[in-house]
């Protein structure tokens, strides 16, 4: 047995007071005279014996009442199995994991509600005067102060889910730093109620807990039945065309233990349902669903994939933004003599393209940075500022198409294109009259997949006859080639950029490729693929992202707005490249919370564009550390105790007995009152 307040034991000296009173009874005696002495002696004998017994019993009752009262104030406790007892000098910090994965259910009750209920029950175990603290994933200012049991209970009623998960290491560091702030250096207790999700808990095997404190890990979990979330979405074409059928593919994942059958999936555009599909997803598997849809006008469209999947619902909606009919900027640079207008005719006949055609010798290199596709036609030498600008353009993700002149500078071409793996460029001895029919490309998948699927070329295709004045070592893919394997049109990926190289000029004396039915769809496809598309959606995990903006300068301040929430994020503008850093949860003001959905990027009060944000996939992973795994990880740390199951009806009782001991002060208080009652009865009725 131990005492929480052993200093009260000095009060046991007060038990000597009844003894002193009974030993030194200074009450003056009164003489009484009787005529019959014999009778007087008999009365005297009987009275003295009875009074002596009565006084001894009263003295014992008083002594025992004082002893019981003193022991009650000293708060005796039977030593628990763990050998640890919460000291009044130590601090007890309780952590409730309120991350989104705590929406999971155990016996039709969410993990978060289970944890809150157990904390409220556990508060009854703490003695009066305990120094308590409550920590959540919010890391709010309220956590800096110490509270009593009633204040902690009131705070539990305000806990809600947050989008910010915390690792166990971060939580313990937070608890330890708050304890140090209150000059509590040892004897602290840290109690963690969490589902211990593997994707967010961090590297537990590297976590070492200071032996001066005790950590209690309470798993709040059950076997995850199912949880479906959207892994990614993508368009089957580079961009959306208005008034045409577009196809969107959605990849869904199921991280639960049970397969999901016939799950209805809905596609919303601008909050109007325009398509639906049904998905079957195996346990721990994935599946895709395709949606065909049409948009009627241009601009940014708010897209959303929605389904009903309980009990975890935070990831049932996936938000993204579609840019319908974007403008594709094509810069056509020609050599000294103006070529035939095959390129101009292709891109001028479609409103989706914005064509600018200028001489390569007179071009403003600043125009290259603003283009999506640069077509070099008949340029004999690529050098100087043009070469440097094109290199920067390709590095930034731009696409360049090179159509050679009749007599290009081969050494210069090797120098420029050799940096990108296109080597051994040579002039061929053939003449324009040496025509050969090109080989048919693959009609299924790849570059030509949608070209043949969306036209009647599959049945009526007649390959062009063409000659070539260049040959080279292909570093990427042969899009078109002669029947002997020599390349005619190749594609080489350079980071996010792309280089297309043609084997001869487009002039009619070199062949009929520019007049063939393949020419227009190939050029359209190259133009479409040149669009440097920004992500359709962002994750809160990325935190920092870069996008291209117009009408901005060094004094421009961008805001993110969602409903009543307005944020001024950390931002940096480099030309047209805007880099934004989202604020973290502990950097937000009271009452502010970043939620998934659509955010307007505001520039001087006007909407520049719409951005979509979603929660990180890590919270959707339904894999948790079991109590057995936690015991194995912390098996060599004696000051870390792991409980088996929070739903055990004897959890609080077991926790009290193992870690707080069995409090006996109530029994001693009852004993003190009992002995006082015995004293009263002896005085009043024992005559």
């Amino acid at each position: 047995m131990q005492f929480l307040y052993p200093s009260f034991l000095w009060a046991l000296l007060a038990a000597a007071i009844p003894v002193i009173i009974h030993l030194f009874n200074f009450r003056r005696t009164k003489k009484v005279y009787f005529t019959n002495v014999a009778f007087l002696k008999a009365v005297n004998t009987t009275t003295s014996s009875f009074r002596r017994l009565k006084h001894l019993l009263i003295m014992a009752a008083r002594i025992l009442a004082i002893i019981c009262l003193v022991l009650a104030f000293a708060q005796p406790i039977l030593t628990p199995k763990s050998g640890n007892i919460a000291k009044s000098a130590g601090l007890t910090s309780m952590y409730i994991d309120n991350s989104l994965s705590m929406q999971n259910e155990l016996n039709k009750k969410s993990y978060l509600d289970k944890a809150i209920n157990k904390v409220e029950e556990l508060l009854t175990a703490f003695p009066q005067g305990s120094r308590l603290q409550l920590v959540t994933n919010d890391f709010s200012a309220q956590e800096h102060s110490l509270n009593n049991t009633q204040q902690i209970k009131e705070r539990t009623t305000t806990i809600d889910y947050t989008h910010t998960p915390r690792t166990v290491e971060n939580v313990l560091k937070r608890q330890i730093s708050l304890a140090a702030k209150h000059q509590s250096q040892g004897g602290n207790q840290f109690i963690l109620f969490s589902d211990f999700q593997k994707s967010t808990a961090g590297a537990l095997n590297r976590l070492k807990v200071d032996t001066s404190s005790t950590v209690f890990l309470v798993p709040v979990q059950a076997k995850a039945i199912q949880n479906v979330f959207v892994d990614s979405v993508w368009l089957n074409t580079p961009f959306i065309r208005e008034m045409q059928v577009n196809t969107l593919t959605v990849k869904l994942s199921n991280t639960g233990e049970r397969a999901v059958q016939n799950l209805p999936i809905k596609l919303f555009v601008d909050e109007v349902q325009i398509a639906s599909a049904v998905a079957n997803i195996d346990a721990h598997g994935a599946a895709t669903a395709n949606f065909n849809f049409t948009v009627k006008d241009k601009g940014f469209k708010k897209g959303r994939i929605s389904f009903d999947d309980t009990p975890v619902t935070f990831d049932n909606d996936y938000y993204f933004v579609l840019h319908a009919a974007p403008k594709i900027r094509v810069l056509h640079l020609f050599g000294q003599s103006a070529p035939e207008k095959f390129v101009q005719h292709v891109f001028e006949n479609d409103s989706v393209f914005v064509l600018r055609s200028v001489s390569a010798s007179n071009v403003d290199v600043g125009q290259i940075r603003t283009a999506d596709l640069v077509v070099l036609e008949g340029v004999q030498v690529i050098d100087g500022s043009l070469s440097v600008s094109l290199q920067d353009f390709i590095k930034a993700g731009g696409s360049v198409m090179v159509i050679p002149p009749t007599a290009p500078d081969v050494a210069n071409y090797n120098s420029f294109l050799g940096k990108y793996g296109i080597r051994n460029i040579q002039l061929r001895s053939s003449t324009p009259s040496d025509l050969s029919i090109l080989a048919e490309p693959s009609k299924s998948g790849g570059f030509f997949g949608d070209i043949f699927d969306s036209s009647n070329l599959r049945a009526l295709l007649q390959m062009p006859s063409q000659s070539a004045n260049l040959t080279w070592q292909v570093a990427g893919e042969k899009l078109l080639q002669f029947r002997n394997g020599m390349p005619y049109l190749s594609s080489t990926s350079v980071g996010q950029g792309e280089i297309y190289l043609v084997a001869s000029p487009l002039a009619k004396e070199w062949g009929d490729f520019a007049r063939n039915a393949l020419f227009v769809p190939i050029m359209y496809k190259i133009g479409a693929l040149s669009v440097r598309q920004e992500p359709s959606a962002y994750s809160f995990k990325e935190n920092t992202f870069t996008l291209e903006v117009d009408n901005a300068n060094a004094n421009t301040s961008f805001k993110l707005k969602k409903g009543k929430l307005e944020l001024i994020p950390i931002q940096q503008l480099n030309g047209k490249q805007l880099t934004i850093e989202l604020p973290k949860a502990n950097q937000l003001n009271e009452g502010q919370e970043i939620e998934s959905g659509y955010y307007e990027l505001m520039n001087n009060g006007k909407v520049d564009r719409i951005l979509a944000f979603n929660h990180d996939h890590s919270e959707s992973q339904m894999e948790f550390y079991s109590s057995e795994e936690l015991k194995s990880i912390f098996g060599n740390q004696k000051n870390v105790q792991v409980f088996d199951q929070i739903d055990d009806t004897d959890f609080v009782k077991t926790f009290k007995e193992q870690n707080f001991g069995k409090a006996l002060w109530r029994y001693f208080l009852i004993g003190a009152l009992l002995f006082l009652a015995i004293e009263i009865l002896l005085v009043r009725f024992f005559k």
Side-chain angles (χ1 to χ4, degrees):
M1 184 172 69
Q2 298 183 29
F3 296 93
L4 284 180
Y5 306 101
S7 57
F8 274 103
L9 295 178
W10 287 101
L12 288 175
L13 296 176
I17 295 175
V19 177
I20 295 172
I21 292 174
H22 285 76
L23 290 179
F24 302 95
N25 189 349
F26 298 108
R27 186 174 58 183
R28 188 182 298 275
T29 59
K30 184 179 180 180
K31 294 182 179 180
V32 180
Y33 296 96
F34 290 90
T35 56
N36 192 330
V37 179
F39 178 74
L40 181 60
K41 286 182 178 179
V43 173
N44 235 350
T45 301
T46 304
T47 302
S48 298
S49 175
F50 184 81
R51 286 183 62 194
R52 188 179 298 110
L53 175 61
K54 181 179 179 179
H55 289 176
L56 289 173
L57 292 174
I58 292 173
M59 180 181 68
R62 290 174 177 173
I63 292 173
L64 291 173
I66 292 174
I67 291 174
C68 288
L69 192 61
V70 171
L71 292 177
F73 277 100
Q75 293 200 26
I77 292 180
L78 290 177
T79 306
K81 297 177 181 179
S82 64
N84 300 315
I85 292 182
K87 302 295 182 183
S88 60
L91 178 147
T92 300
S93 178
M94 291 173 287
Y95 163 71
I96 296 180
D97 182 1
N98 60 331
S99 62
L100 296 172
S101 62
M102 294 288 283
Q103 288 182 352
N104 237 315
E105 291 186 353
L106 178 61
N107 296 333
K108 298 183 179 180
K109 203 168 187 178
S110 71
Y111 287 179
L112 181 60
D113 289 339
K114 283 282 186 183
I116 291 174
N117 289 345
K118 289 303 176 182
V119 167
E120 292 176 350
E121 288 183 45
L122 194 59
L123 290 174
T124 62
F126 292 96
Q128 296 296 324
S130 296
R131 307 170 71 197
L132 304 177
Q133 202 166 56
L134 180 62
V135 176
T136 65
N137 288 349
D138 299 318
F139 281 13
S140 64
Q142 290 178 298
E143 300 169 0
H144 289 265
S145 59
L146 296 180
N147 304 111
N148 56 36
T149 55
Q150 183 59 34
Q151 291 170 325
I152 295 292
K153 191 172 183 179
E154 291 174 358
R155 275 199 59 202
T156 58
T157 62
T158 64
I159 296 177
D160 202 357
Y161 299 102
T162 180
H163 76 282
T164 306
R166 306 285 184 182
T167 64
V168 174
E169 181 180 9
N170 287 341
V171 170
L172 283 174
K173 284 183 178 179
R174 171 77 168 178
Q175 292 177 306
I176 291 171
S177 65
L178 292 176
K181 178 183 176 182
H182 295 283
Q183 290 80 43
S184 182
Q185 302 296 334
N188 300 316
Q189 290 192 123
F190 303 125
I191 309 172
L192 282 68
F193 292 86
S194 173
D195 57 6
F196 296 101
Q197 192 174 21
K198 289 185 177 181
S199 57
T200 60
L204 300 184
N205 55 346
R206 297 201 301 264
L207 185 60
K208 302 298 179 184
V209 181
D210 185 1
T211 55
S212 63
S213 299
T214 306
V215 176
F216 305 106
L217 305 181
V218 187
V220 189
Q221 56 189 225
K223 193 172 185 179
I225 297 177
Q226 70 180 56
N227 182 46
V228 176
F229 66 93
V230 175
D231 182 270
S232 55
V233 301
W234 65 89
L235 289 167
N236 288 16
T237 54
F239 57 88
I240 296 176
R241 299 295 296 265
E242 55 182 327
M243 302 306 296
Q244 292 187 15
V245 177
N246 302 277
T247 302
L248 181 78
T249 302
V250 179
K251 181 181 179 181
L252 303 117
S253 296
N254 176 19
T255 59
E257 300 287 341
R258 186 178 67 186
V260 177
Q261 300 293 330
N262 300 321
L263 178 67
I265 314 293
K266 301 174 184 177
L267 170 63
F268 291 84
V269 174
D270 289 339
E271 298 305 322
V272 177
Q273 182 180 339
I274 61 173
S276 62
V278 175
N280 298 312
I281 315 171
D282 295 333
H284 300 292
T288 58
N290 294 319
F291 298 90
N292 296 323
F293 66 97
T294 303
V295 295
K296 296 181 180 180
D297 50 12
K298 302 176 182 179
F300 291 100
K301 306 294 180 182
K302 297 178 181 178
R304 177 166 60 93
I305 299 295
S306 182
F307 50 86
D308 186 14
D309 173 52
T310 57
V312 180
T313 59
F314 75 89
D315 51 8
N316 285 3
D317 290 291
Y318 184 86
Y319 302 89
F320 58 96
V321 175
L322 302 172
H323 192 185
K327 293 295 184 181
I328 301 176
R329 296 160 294 187
V330 180
L331 179 61
H332 178 218
L333 304 179
F334 52 85
Q336 293 181 354
S337 60
E340 297 186 43
K341 297 186 177 182
F342 294 115
V343 174
Q344 291 96 316
H345 290 162
V346 168
F347 294 118
E348 286 177 347
N349 289 335
D350 197 315
S351 61
V352 77
F353 296 102
V354 178
L355 176 69
R356 181 178 292 145
S357 185
V358 296
S359 171
S361 59
N362 298 325
V363 66
D364 178 4
V365 293
Q367 296 178 358
I368 296 177
R369 291 196 299 268
T370 62
D372 296 303
L373 171 65
V374 175
V375 180
L376 296 175
E377 184 178 9
V379 179
Q380 188 171 12
V381 178
I382 308 172
D383 60 1
S385 60
L386 176 61
S387 175
V388 174
S389 298
L390 287 174
Q391 290 177 34
D392 294 339
F393 175 70
I394 295 170
K395 185 178 179 180
S399 297
V400 174
M401 185 176 186
V402 180
I403 303 172
T406 301
D409 187 328
V410 175
N412 174 261
Y413 269 51
N414 274 299
S415 175
F416 177 75
L417 297 174
K419 300 182 181 69
Y420 309 110
I422 305 173
R423 298 183 176 90
N424 198 24
I425 301 175
Q426 298 179 5
L427 281 174
R428 294 188 72 233
S429 58
S430 62
T431 63
S433 60
D434 297 332
L435 300 179
S436 299
I437 298 176
L438 298 180
E440 286 194 15
S442 173
K443 298 179 182 180
S444 58
F447 182 89
F448 290 94
D450 55 348
I451 291 178
F452 289 108
D453 287 342
S454 60
S455 69
N456 58 2
L457 290 175
R458 180 180 294 275
L460 304 177
L461 178 64
Q462 181 178 354
M463 296 302 296
S465 297
Q466 196 69 30
S467 182
N469 66 338
L470 285 184
T471 181
W472 63 93
Q473 180 182 331
V474 178
E477 178 185 1
K478 294 179 185 178
L479 300 182
L480 289 175
Q481 60 182 338
F482 293 95
R483 291 180 178 178
N484 62 2
M486 190 179 70
Y488 179 75
L489 172 62
S490 70
S491 171
T492 303
S493 297
V494 183
Q496 297 296 320
E498 200 77 22
I499 298 178
Y500 300 92
L501 180 57
V502 183
S504 64
L506 298 180
K508 58 184 178 181
E509 61 264 22
W510 287 92
D512 59 359
F513 172 63
R515 294 176 298 279
N516 188 271
L518 271 177
F519 180 67
V520 172
I522 286 177
M523 296 300 288
Y524 277 179
K525 184 66 178 285
I526 290 174
L529 292 176
S530 68
V531 178
R532 286 169 280 181
Q533 294 205 4
E534 297 172 359
S536 60
Y538 297 91
S539 168
F540 288 124
K541 184 179 181 180
E542 295 171 3
N543 192 251
T544 302
F545 57 93
T546 301
L547 47 86
E548 189 173 299
V549 295
D550 296 319
N551 304 321
N553 54 56
N555 298 322
T556 304
S557 178
F558 288 89
K559 294 181 181 180
L560 286 175
K561 182 178 180 182
K562 183 180 186 295
K564 295 182 179 179
L565 175 66
E566 286 193 10
L567 302 172
I568 302 179
I570 299 173
Q571 52 195 274
Q572 182 179 359
L573 186 64
N574 183 12
K576 291 189 175 183
Q577 300 296 312
L578 174 66
T579 301
I580 287 180
E581 180 180 345
L582 290 177
K584 297 180 180 178
N586 55 355
Q587 296 174 329
L588 297 172
N589 298 327
E590 288 291 335
Q592 288 186 331
E593 184 177 356
I594 296 180
E595 299 177 338
S596 59
Y598 308 108
Y599 287 76
E600 296 174 338
L601 183 66
M602 308 294 294
N603 179 3
N604 295 326
K606 297 182 179 179
V607 179
D608 186 273
R609 67 183 57 204
I610 299 172
L611 305 174
F613 289 91
N614 295 284
H615 294 293
D616 180 30
H617 293 332
S618 58
E619 286 273 26
S620 300
Q621 305 294 329
M622 296 293 105
E623 293 184 359
F624 312 96
Y625 286 105
S626 65
S627 57
E628 289 76 18
E629 290 175 312
L630 292 173
K631 289 177 181 178
S632 175
I633 293 171
F634 296 101
N636 59 345
Q637 300 187 54
K638 302 302 181 184
N639 59 323
V640 179
Q641 182 176 353
V642 180
F643 281 89
D644 289 327
Q645 179 57 262
I646 192 176
D647 203 38
D648 189 345
T649 54
D650 295 328
F651 165 74
V652 175
K653 179 182 177 182
T654 304
F655 189 92
K656 290 179 182 179
E657 292 179 353
Q658 290 188 357
N659 303 287
F660 291 95
K662 188 173 181 63
L664 304 177
W665 65 270
R666 293 182 180 85
Y667 302 106
F668 284 103
L669 182 60
I670 293 173
L673 295 175
L674 179 62
F675 287 121
L676 288 176
I678 291 174
E679 178 194 356
I680 294 172
L681 293 175
L682 288 172
V683 172
R684 185 167 183 177
F685 299 106
F686 197 35
K687 297 182 180 179

